């Protein structure tokens, strides 16, 4: 099964 | 806004796709800036205001040091006394802003943007997700319809010689990748992404005849259009095996 990742797991909040 | 130009960032509500749009100051008739400025604007309101301008109109965007609104003045080019002014109030985006980490990509291909748009559209008809593989010899975009078992695949082979590159769309060599390909290849890479978001990114084909796809394993896919006035980037979060 594949899980859709969110961009928040790759890019940080300022 | 910086001394180089305007950088715009927007993201969908599920945080799957992020758009970064850079417009160089050279794309403006005049560009003046005292210091860097960061504004958060409701894109719908900005679009509504900008749509009021005709193609030949002059649009002036202004914001002061501690401003709470962006003022858009729309001027008719041959009737400079005819000006309409619109304020777009800032909003608090808070955590909706992300700092994009610049990473070294393992592979990059550059293909004709119209061809890319077609493959995204065709594969979206088959499935909600697709696999992109870039190997030394070329690239493969594959989608599988689990219900019917139908599989769609677009293959791009690496252009063997620089001569395969053509500027005119009519001379497009079938399935060829533009020669930049090998320069950015470090290792075989594959990613799975949602076709819906790829379709969305591929619709910007009118901006540039070429589009680049950059990948690194388990990192967001980057779809990039370079053009004279700037660059448009789409980052799409991958689907990763559980």
């Amino acid at each position: 099964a594949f899980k859709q990742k969110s961009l928040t797991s790759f890019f940080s909040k300022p | 806004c910086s001394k180089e130009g305007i950088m715009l960032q927007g993201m969908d509500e599920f945080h799957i796709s992020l758009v970064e749009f850079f417009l160089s100051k050279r794309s403006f008739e005049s560009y003046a800036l005292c210091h860097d400025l960061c504004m958060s604007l409701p894109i719908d309101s900005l679009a509504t205001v900008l749509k009021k301008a005709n193609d030949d109109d002059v649009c002036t965007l202004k914001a002061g040091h501690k401003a709470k609104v962006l003022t858009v003045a729309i001027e008719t080019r041959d009737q400079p006394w005819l000006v309409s002014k619109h304020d777009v109030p800032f909003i608090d985006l808070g955590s909706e802003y992300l700092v994009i980490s610049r990473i070294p990509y393992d592979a990059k291909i550059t293909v004709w943007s119209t061809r890319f748009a077609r493959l995204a559209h065709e594969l979206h008809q088959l499935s909600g997700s697709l696999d992109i593989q870039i190997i030394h010899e070329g690239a493969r975009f594959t989608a599988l319809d689990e219900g019917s078992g139908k599989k769609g695949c677009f293959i791009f082979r690496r252009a063997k010689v620089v001569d395969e590159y053509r500027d005119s769309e009519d001379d497009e060599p079938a399935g060829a990748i533009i020669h930049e390909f090998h320069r950015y290849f470090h290792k075989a890479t594959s990613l799975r992404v949602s076709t819906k978001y790829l379709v969305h990114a591929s619709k910007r084909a009118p901006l540039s005849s070429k589009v680049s796809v950059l990948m690194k394993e388990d990192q967001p896919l980057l779809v990039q259009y370079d053009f004279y006035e700037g660059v448009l980037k789409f980052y799409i979060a991958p689907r990763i095996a559980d």
Side-chain angles (χ1 to χ4, degrees):
Chain A
F2 282 82
K3 195 179 166 195
Q4 175 65 61
K5 299 291 279 185
S6 155
L7 287 171
T8 48
S9 17
F10 304 99
F11 303 145
S12 58
K13 292 176 177 179
Chain B
C1 306
S2 69
K3 64 178 191 298
E4 284 83 29
I6 291 180
M7 177 73 92
L8 197 140
Q9 185 190 108
M11 201 164 28
D12 74 295
E13 59 178 319
F14 304 109
H15 297 175
I16 295 170
S17 177
L18 183 146
V19 177
E20 199 183 55
F21 186 43
F22 172 69
L23 259 184
S24 160
K25 67 175 181 187
R26 65 173 175 236
S27 57
F28 297 91
E29 220 165 75
S30 72
Y31 188 91
L33 190 75
C34 302
H35 49 81
D36 289 5
L37 186 66
C38 188
M39 298 175 265
S40 298
L41 298 161
I43 193 80
D44 294 348
S45 316
L46 183 64
T48 305
V49 167
L50 292 175
K51 275 179 193 157
K52 291 179 195 291
N54 295 313
D55 284 352
D56 292 342
D57 290 350
V58 179
C59 277
T60 306
L61 300 119
K62 264 186 195 173
H65 177 41
K66 282 179 179 166
K68 290 188 170 61
V69 295
L70 171 75
T71 303
V72 181
I74 302 170
E75 198 179 298
T76 312
R77 196 172 280 275
D78 50 1
Q79 295 163 294
W81 41 269
L82 207 57
V83 180
S84 67
K85 278 194 177 179
H86 313 268
D87 284 343
V88 183
F90 295 177
I91 50 170
D92 182 14
L93 269 181
S95 62
E96 292 301 295
Y97 181 80
L98 291 181
V99 179
I100 297 160
S101 37
R102 310 287 168 189
I103 53 163
Y105 287 92
D106 285 332
K108 173 186 176 182
I109 57 160
T110 304
V111 296
W112 299 105
S113 53
T114 47
R115 183 169 286 260
F116 181 68
R118 203 175 74 213
L119 88 81
H121 176 78
E122 300 278 347
L123 296 180
H124 183 50
Q125 307 297 314
L126 268 184
S127 174
S129 61
L130 87 162
D131 291 311
I132 308 172
Q133 283 174 289
I134 302 181
I135 56 169
H136 187 262
E137 293 75 22
R140 185 194 293 263
F141 294 74
T142 318
L144 175 69
D145 177 359
E146 308 239 345
S148 68
K150 278 185 191 164
K151 191 173 168 185
C153 187
F154 282 77
I155 296 171
F156 294 87
R157 286 186 181 83
R158 181 159 65 94
K160 285 191 184 71
V161 283
V162 172
D163 285 348
E164 278 190 59
Y165 171 78
R166 302 278 189 282
D167 244 332
S168 152
E169 203 99 321
D170 301 335
D171 294 341
E172 177 189 353
I177 284 167
I178 298 167
H179 65 278
E180 279 107 310
F181 178 72
H182 62 270
R183 277 201 242 150
Y184 292 90
F185 184 80
H186 299 301
K187 64 177 204 174
T189 312
S190 66
L191 275 182
R192 173 171 287 199
V193 293
S194 151
T195 47
K196 186 179 117 183
Y197 289 93
L198 198 74
V199 166
H200 186 73
S202 76
K203 283 183 180 165
R204 302 286 81 84
L207 270 180
S208 173
S209 62
K210 290 176 278 177
V211 60
S212 297
V213 175
L214 292 94
M215 304 208 307
K216 187 179 173 70
E217 207 87 22
D218 291 344
Q219 288 293 317
L221 175 77
L222 171 56
V223 177
Q224 180 169 331
Y225 296 88
D226 290 284
F227 49 100
Y228 176 72
E229 298 88 352
V231 56
L232 177 66
K233 295 178 181 179
F234 289 89
Y235 294 91
I236 304 172
R239 290 183 167 173
I240 289 176
D242 252 343

